[in-house]
Amino acid sequence: MPPIPQPPTPRIVIYYQTQHNQDGTPCSILPIITQPDIAVTHVNLAAIHLNDPPGHITLNDHVPSDPRYVTLWAELRILQAAGIKVLGMLGGAAKGSFTRLDLDEATFEAYYLPLRNLIRERGLDGLDLDVEEPMTLAGIIRLIDRLKSDFGESFIITLAPVAAALMSDRPEHNLSGFSYEALEVMRGRQIGWYNTQFYCGWGDLSKTDGFDFMVARGYPADKIVIGMVTNPGNGSGWVPFEVLQEVLITLKVRYPGFGGVMGWEYFNSLPGDRARPWEWAAFMTKNVRSGLLPLATAAPIVSASAAIGTGQQKQQPLIVDDDPKAKDDAPIPKDFEYFTDGSVED
């Protein structure tokens, strides 16, 4: 029986970077299709890095063919068979991938072709471009054009700007270097949507103001996917569920084409934390996709105190895959620590 077609919006996007538990066993992503009342639309596999020399590609800290990823690749194929689109996430906080793709044509080809081959080999449905280092507008356009040329119009291309980058073109509000407003004008038709980071000081999901302002600036509501940390341990800006629920319902009613939600990241998502990380997706399904797909039961609303582990449920320290932390971090607000791309809490 073929997968049930899913409406394009609102989307539920999960970033999947920490693929192993603390004991080294796989952190399975399959519960998002085996547990009830969950309608995830996209999974972004993080994080792919282009290293020196050309052709040296890693998924976090290891080559994609490493035996540690055998279960991962098998599970992602199962997700695709169930109708979920699987994208690779390129870049992130670890620098270098986009710098290498922003050089002369010969250098671009040397680094791009192995990436193209990886996408083909693993049958990825798209690529999420998380540009957290300076890149030229011409450079990102060249990359988008080449991906569309090689993989066709059905290949999904998304970007992951910080929220401030869609609200202002000032350099200090943007980790990517280029203007997203200019990119949307020039290549908007080739970009599926923006996985917008409303956390770590770049945006505030306790209210709708940021989303409203982006739409007022001209970004289509169906292309803004609001991004959040799924656990306070993953970065600052976590919003309690009862507050977030009001924001989600307001956006869904105010903008019929509301783009959806994304969560960084899967393995310790609240309210279930490490034991039941899929419960975040169940909460989002109830609040942004209810009425679109049949739901057997409603996911409960969770209080902030219960969600962050007071009482009997103790919050565990953040443990993520050991992707090396970049030495030269991009300029970000000083009142938080930024966890991404497998950086490990000390």
Side-chain angles (χ1 to χ4, degrees), residues 46-89:
I48 298 169
H49 302 303
L50 309 183
N51 310 288
D52 285 324
H56 179 209
I57 297 179
T58 53
L59 175 59
N60 294 325
D61 224 17
H62 302 81
V63 296
S65 60
D66 190 283
R68 68 189 278 116
Y69 296 133
V70 170
T71 299
L72 166 74
W73 293 119
E75 290 192 351
L76 293 180
R77 288 193 294 272
I78 293 172
L79 295 189
Q80 289 174 312
I84 294 175
K85 299 297 185 183
V86 175
L87 289 72
M89 189 202 95

Side-chain angles (χ1 to χ4, degrees), residues 75-316:
E75 290 192 351
L76 293 180
R77 288 193 294 272
I78 293 172
L79 295 189
Q80 289 174 312
I84 294 175
K85 299 297 185 183
V86 175
L87 289 72
M89 189 202 95
L90 178 66
K95 310 298 184 294
S97 297
F98 293 102
T99 298
R100 296 178 177 104
L101 290 171
D102 200 23
L103 300 174
D104 60 86
E105 287 294 331
T107 305
F108 172 82
E109 291 293 324
Y111 286 102
Y112 171 79
L113 291 178
L115 173 64
R116 181 198 66 185
N117 295 341
L118 174 65
I119 294 169
R120 286 177 174 170
E121 178 186 358
R122 298 300 176 179
L124 297 177
D125 298 301
L127 201 62
D128 180 57
L129 308 177
D130 188 359
V131 187
E132 298 189 18
E133 58 186 311
M135 189 177 195
T136 64
L137 181 62
I140 192 67
I141 287 176
R142 176 174 62 178
L143 177 57
I144 291 171
D145 288 350
R146 186 60 182 275
L147 287 168
K148 285 294 186 180
S149 174
D150 286 342
F151 294 102
E153 288 305 307
S154 63
F155 188 77
I156 303 168
I157 297 175
T158 61
L159 286 95
V162 294
L166 298 191
M167 293 187 279
S168 169
D169 273 345
R170 294 174 60 181
E172 63 268 27
H173 295 160
N174 188 343
L175 297 179
S176 308
F178 56 82
S179 164
Y180 280 89
E181 185 174 27
L183 180 63
E184 174 65 16
V185 170
M186 298 180 71
R187 288 298 185 276
R189 294 183 63 182
Q190 284 73 48
I191 297 169
W193 63 88
Y194 298 99
N195 293 306
T196 313
Q197 300 180 46
F198 279 86
Y199 48 86
C200 290
W202 297 110
D204 181 6
L205 275 188
S206 67
K207 50 191 176 182
T208 67
D209 295 14
F211 192 98
D212 295 333
F213 188 69
M214 292 174 190
V215 174
R217 288 196 77 204
Y219 291 98
D222 65 349
K223 293 184 69 171
I224 306 171
V225 171
I226 56 174
M228 64 197 75
V229 287
T230 59
N231 186 306
N234 296 350
S236 71
W238 185 82
V239 178
F241 284 100
E242 61 267 28
V243 176
L244 185 61
Q245 183 183 45
E246 293 185 13
V247 171
L248 294 174
I249 292 173
T250 300
L251 291 175
K252 185 178 175 183
V253 171
R254 185 175 296 166
Y255 304 101
F258 168 54
V261 298
M262 74 85 162
W264 179 272
E265 61 171 312
Y266 172 71
F267 83 107
N268 64 347
S269 300
L270 295 178
D273 210 332
R274 289 174 178 80
R276 302 174 63 85
W278 57 87
E279 290 182 354
W280 179 88
F283 175 88
M284 294 301 160
T285 299
K286 175 180 181 292
N287 285 284
V288 304
R289 291 186 65 83
S290 59
L292 299 177
L293 295 177
L295 300 178
T297 58
I301 303 304
V302 185
S303 69
S305 59
I308 60 176
T310 58
Q312 294 182 349
Q313 183 182 2
K314 183 179 180 182
Q315 179 71 16
Q316 299 293 325

